[in-house]
Structure formats: structure tokens, C-alpha cells
Amino acid sequence: MQSYVKFLDGLPLILKIVLALPGLDAIVYGIYRIAKGNLLIGLLWIFILFPIGWIIDIITLILNGKVTFLV
């Protein structure tokens, strides 16, 4: 799982933002949160927070260059 985290952290910002678009965000960054060690937030991200999660991820990506909310 650490290789998944390193892979996502190493992507260019534009690709991270594309992966944060609706539909992809819940799976890609939900699994990312699980891989970072936050199982509960990762599962919530996938199954409950997906309608607004992508907006939060895009904002944090633009401001910080990485997903930082609830990780």
C-alpha cells in the first residue's frame, strides 16, 4: 500500500487534480486515505462523502499540492 501512496504523491499536480474529479475521486483518494492508515475516513470517503469529497480534494490539491483533508 505504501507504493500506492508514493505513486500518487509523485504524480504531477494536474494529474492529481484529474484524479480528484467526480467519479474517480471517491475510489482513488478513498483508497489513498486507507493506505495512509485512516481506514474509517477512507471508507466514509468512498461510500458517504463522495458527493462533496471531490470538491474538498481539488481545493486542498490547489492550495497544498497534496490531499490533506482528513488524512
Side-chain angles (χ1 to χ4, degrees):
M1 288 298 254
Q2 292 296 36
S3 60
Y4 182 73
V5 171
K6 284 184 180 182
F7 171 73
L8 281 180
D9 286 342
L11 289 176
L13 181 60
I14 191 71
L15 284 177
K16 290 180 186 179
I17 292 172
V18 169
L19 291 174
L21 293 175
L24 293 174
D25 178 70
I27 302 300
V28 173
Y29 288 113
I31 295 171
Y32 177 81
R33 285 172 170 83
I34 292 170
K36 292 278 279 193
N38 204 335
L39 179 66
L40 179 62
I41 297 301
L43 292 175
L44 286 173
W45 207 264
I46 292 170
F47 295 110
I48 297 172
L49 296 174
F50 64 89
I52 61 165
W54 67 274
I55 297 169
I56 296 168
D57 280 347
I58 288 178
I59 291 170
T60 60
L61 282 168
I62 291 170
L63 295 176
N64 300 322
K66 63 181 185 172
V67 175
T68 57
F69 186 78
L70 298 174
V71 176

